[in-house]
mmCIF file of all heavy atoms in Angstrom:
data_model
loop_
_atom_site.group_PDB
_atom_site.id
_atom_site.type_symbol
_atom_site.label_atom_id
_atom_site.label_comp_id
_atom_site.label_asym_id
_atom_site.label_seq_id
_atom_site.Cartn_x
_atom_site.Cartn_y
_atom_site.Cartn_z
ATOM 1 N N ALA V 68 90.414 141.476 91.489
ATOM 2 C CA ALA V 68 89.483 141.637 90.436
ATOM 3 C C ALA V 68 88.263 142.342 91.029
ATOM 4 O O ALA V 68 87.901 142.031 92.197
ATOM 5 C CB ALA V 68 89.060 140.415 89.748
ATOM 6 N N GLN V 71 85.436 140.569 93.046
ATOM 7 C CA GLN V 71 85.872 139.726 94.176
ATOM 8 C C GLN V 71 86.254 140.688 95.435
ATOM 9 O O GLN V 71 86.334 140.297 96.449
ATOM 10 C CB GLN V 71 87.172 139.019 93.773
ATOM 11 C CG GLN V 71 86.866 137.902 92.775
ATOM 12 C CD GLN V 71 88.065 137.177 92.373
ATOM 13 O OE1 GLN V 71 88.661 137.517 91.347
ATOM 14 N NE2 GLN V 71 88.354 136.017 92.977
ATOM 15 N N HIS V 170 87.245 140.854 83.708
ATOM 16 C CA HIS V 170 87.673 139.763 84.601
ATOM 17 C C HIS V 170 86.369 138.964 85.042
ATOM 18 O O HIS V 170 85.808 139.280 86.132
ATOM 19 C CB HIS V 170 88.449 140.244 85.754
ATOM 20 C CG HIS V 170 89.239 139.251 86.608
ATOM 21 N ND1 HIS V 170 90.499 139.299 86.831
ATOM 22 C CD2 HIS V 170 88.677 138.087 87.172
ATOM 23 C CE1 HIS V 170 90.950 138.254 87.598
ATOM 24 N NE2 HIS V 170 89.849 137.459 87.849
ATOM 25 N N PHE V 171 85.874 138.139 84.262
ATOM 26 C CA PHE V 171 84.802 137.149 84.442
ATOM 27 C C PHE V 171 83.457 137.660 84.484
ATOM 28 O O PHE V 171 82.427 136.870 84.395
ATOM 29 C CB PHE V 171 85.080 136.328 85.800
ATOM 30 C CG PHE V 171 86.245 135.415 85.681
ATOM 31 C CD1 PHE V 171 86.728 134.781 86.843
ATOM 32 C CD2 PHE V 171 86.797 135.041 84.490
ATOM 33 C CE1 PHE V 171 87.836 133.935 86.827
ATOM 34 C CE2 PHE V 171 87.809 134.178 84.469
ATOM 35 C CZ PHE V 171 88.404 133.663 85.686
ATOM 36 N N ASN V 214 90.894 138.392 81.226
ATOM 37 C CA ASN V 214 91.266 137.448 82.214
ATOM 38 C C ASN V 214 90.975 136.037 81.830
ATOM 39 O O ASN V 214 89.803 135.749 81.714
ATOM 40 C CB ASN V 214 90.887 137.851 83.579
ATOM 41 C CG ASN V 214 91.618 136.915 84.631
ATOM 42 O OD1 ASN V 214 92.779 136.924 84.911
ATOM 43 N ND2 ASN V 214 90.896 135.985 85.254
ATOM 44 N N GLU V 215 91.895 135.090 81.634
ATOM 45 C CA GLU V 215 91.658 133.667 81.575
ATOM 46 C C GLU V 215 90.587 133.237 80.673
ATOM 47 O O GLU V 215 89.601 132.661 81.166
ATOM 48 C CB GLU V 215 91.512 133.084 83.008
ATOM 49 C CG GLU V 215 92.723 133.385 83.861
ATOM 50 C CD GLU V 215 92.469 132.799 85.325
ATOM 51 O OE1 GLU V 215 91.358 132.507 85.677
ATOM 52 O OE2 GLU V 215 93.535 132.622 85.950
ATOM 53 N N HIS V 280 95.578 131.631 81.804
ATOM 54 C CA HIS V 280 95.696 130.733 82.774
ATOM 55 C C HIS V 280 96.419 129.491 82.315
ATOM 56 O O HIS V 280 95.979 128.865 81.381
ATOM 57 C CB HIS V 280 94.387 130.342 83.379
ATOM 58 C CG HIS V 280 94.269 129.338 84.480
ATOM 59 N ND1 HIS V 280 94.241 129.831 85.808
ATOM 60 C CD2 HIS V 280 94.359 128.107 84.576
ATOM 61 C CE1 HIS V 280 94.265 128.823 86.575
ATOM 62 N NE2 HIS V 280 94.300 127.748 85.854
ATOM 63 N N ASN V 344 98.929 133.344 84.474
ATOM 64 C CA ASN V 344 98.372 133.101 85.748
ATOM 65 C C ASN V 344 98.683 131.545 85.952
ATOM 66 O O ASN V 344 98.172 130.689 85.399
ATOM 67 C CB ASN V 344 96.827 133.244 85.739
ATOM 68 C CG ASN V 344 96.399 134.644 85.518
ATOM 69 O OD1 ASN V 344 97.242 135.551 85.366
ATOM 70 N ND2 ASN V 344 95.142 134.901 85.538
ATOM 71 N N TYR V 346 99.116 128.378 88.842
ATOM 72 C CA TYR V 346 98.736 127.861 90.247
ATOM 73 C C TYR V 346 99.125 126.384 90.455
ATOM 74 O O TYR V 346 99.559 126.173 91.490
ATOM 75 C CB TYR V 346 97.164 128.010 90.370
ATOM 76 C CG TYR V 346 96.723 129.496 90.561
ATOM 77 C CD1 TYR V 346 96.353 130.077 89.447
ATOM 78 C CD2 TYR V 346 96.702 129.902 91.860
ATOM 79 C CE1 TYR V 346 95.964 131.413 89.631
ATOM 80 C CE2 TYR V 346 96.188 131.324 91.944
ATOM 81 C CZ TYR V 346 95.864 132.010 90.909
ATOM 82 O OH TYR V 346 95.434 133.316 91.043
ATOM 83 N N TRP V 376 94.703 121.947 95.224
ATOM 84 C CA TRP V 376 95.590 122.026 94.209
ATOM 85 C C TRP V 376 97.024 121.718 94.477
ATOM 86 O O TRP V 376 97.587 122.233 95.530
ATOM 87 C CB TRP V 376 95.498 123.585 93.758
ATOM 88 C CG TRP V 376 94.239 124.041 93.218
ATOM 89 C CD1 TRP V 376 93.081 123.181 93.114
ATOM 90 C CD2 TRP V 376 93.858 125.363 92.879
ATOM 91 N NE1 TRP V 376 92.074 124.066 92.737
ATOM 92 C CE2 TRP V 376 92.538 125.336 92.527
ATOM 93 C CE3 TRP V 376 94.614 126.524 92.749
ATOM 94 C CZ2 TRP V 376 91.857 126.423 92.006
ATOM 95 C CZ3 TRP V 376 93.906 127.708 92.295
ATOM 96 C CH2 TRP V 376 92.582 127.635 91.943
ATOM 97 N N GLU V 401 99.228 136.271 87.853
ATOM 98 C CA GLU V 401 98.750 135.657 89.073
ATOM 99 C C GLU V 401 99.488 134.492 89.491
ATOM 100 O O GLU V 401 99.960 133.693 88.597
ATOM 101 C CB GLU V 401 97.209 135.327 88.829
ATOM 102 C CG GLU V 401 96.229 136.370 88.665
ATOM 103 C CD GLU V 401 94.855 135.772 88.522
ATOM 104 O OE1 GLU V 401 94.502 134.727 88.987
ATOM 105 O OE2 GLU V 401 93.992 136.572 87.908
ATOM 106 N N TRP V 439 98.445 136.530 93.700
ATOM 107 C CA TRP V 439 97.026 136.379 93.880
ATOM 108 C C TRP V 439 96.759 135.907 95.319
ATOM 109 O O TRP V 439 97.054 134.740 95.635
ATOM 110 C CB TRP V 439 96.317 135.548 92.919
ATOM 111 C CG TRP V 439 94.893 135.597 93.085
ATOM 112 C CD1 TRP V 439 94.086 134.854 93.972
ATOM 113 C CD2 TRP V 439 93.902 136.503 92.474
ATOM 114 N NE1 TRP V 439 92.794 135.407 93.986
ATOM 115 C CE2 TRP V 439 92.689 136.345 92.984
ATOM 116 C CE3 TRP V 439 94.199 137.604 91.577
ATOM 117 C CZ2 TRP V 439 91.522 137.086 92.619
ATOM 118 C CZ3 TRP V 439 93.077 138.394 91.115
ATOM 119 C CH2 TRP V 439 91.770 138.186 91.696
ATOM 120 N N ASN V 444 89.294 137.262 99.475
ATOM 121 C CA ASN V 444 88.186 137.931 98.750
ATOM 122 C C ASN V 444 87.275 136.919 98.295
ATOM 123 O O ASN V 444 87.273 135.602 98.687
ATOM 124 C CB ASN V 444 88.709 138.827 97.640
ATOM 125 C CG ASN V 444 89.611 137.953 96.649
ATOM 126 O OD1 ASN V 444 89.219 136.919 96.180
ATOM 127 N ND2 ASN V 444 90.785 138.577 96.377
ATOM 128 N N GLU V 446 86.068 134.297 96.356
ATOM 129 C CA GLU V 446 86.641 133.285 95.366
ATOM 130 C C GLU V 446 85.522 132.510 94.564
ATOM 131 O O GLU V 446 85.266 131.339 94.584
ATOM 132 C CB GLU V 446 87.419 132.332 96.100
ATOM 133 C CG GLU V 446 88.241 131.174 95.282
ATOM 134 C CD GLU V 446 89.081 131.677 94.087
ATOM 135 O OE1 GLU V 446 89.469 132.910 93.999
ATOM 136 O OE2 GLU V 446 89.092 130.863 93.159
ATOM 137 N N TRP V 447 84.752 133.397 93.727
ATOM 138 C CA TRP V 447 83.728 132.757 92.816
ATOM 139 C C TRP V 447 82.944 131.738 93.448
ATOM 140 O O TRP V 447 82.378 131.885 94.522
ATOM 141 C CB TRP V 447 84.472 132.410 91.495
ATOM 142 C CG TRP V 447 85.330 133.494 90.984
ATOM 143 C CD1 TRP V 447 86.731 133.529 90.888
ATOM 144 C CD2 TRP V 447 84.940 134.786 90.433
ATOM 145 N NE1 TRP V 447 87.248 134.739 90.410
ATOM 146 C CE2 TRP V 447 86.075 135.469 90.277
ATOM 147 C CE3 TRP V 447 83.607 135.449 90.259
ATOM 148 C CZ2 TRP V 447 86.157 136.839 89.620
ATOM 149 C CZ3 TRP V 447 83.586 136.717 89.673
ATOM 150 C CH2 TRP V 447 84.830 137.396 89.405
ATOM 151 N N PHE V 455 92.982 133.381 99.718
ATOM 152 C CA PHE V 455 94.219 133.573 98.960
ATOM 153 C C PHE V 455 95.007 134.764 99.318
ATOM 154 O O PHE V 455 96.054 135.022 98.720
ATOM 155 C CB PHE V 455 93.939 133.746 97.448
ATOM 156 C CG PHE V 455 93.409 132.459 96.630
ATOM 157 C CD1 PHE V 455 92.194 131.944 96.750
ATOM 158 C CD2 PHE V 455 94.454 131.964 95.895
ATOM 159 C CE1 PHE V 455 91.918 130.784 95.936
ATOM 160 C CE2 PHE V 455 94.157 130.832 95.137
ATOM 161 C CZ PHE V 455 92.912 130.147 95.173
HETATM 162 O O1 IFM Q 518 90.374 134.220 92.086
HETATM 163 C C1 IFM Q 518 90.772 133.658 90.851
HETATM 164 C C2 IFM Q 518 90.871 134.785 89.775
HETATM 165 O O2 IFM Q 518 89.796 135.550 89.723
HETATM 166 C C3 IFM Q 518 91.290 134.280 88.463
HETATM 167 N N1 IFM Q 518 92.422 133.395 88.557
HETATM 168 C C4 IFM Q 518 92.453 132.392 89.559
HETATM 169 C C5 IFM Q 518 92.084 132.953 90.950
HETATM 170 C C6 IFM Q 518 92.147 131.889 92.017
HETATM 171 O O3 IFM Q 518 91.272 130.819 91.636
#
Side-chain angles (χ1 to χ4, degrees):
Q71 295 177 269
H170 192 127
F171 291 168
N214 184 69
E215 298 181 342
H280 184 96
N344 294 1
Y346 289 87
W376 298 358
E401 289 181 24
W439 186 273
N444 55 48
E446 177 55 24
W447 309 111
F455 281 83

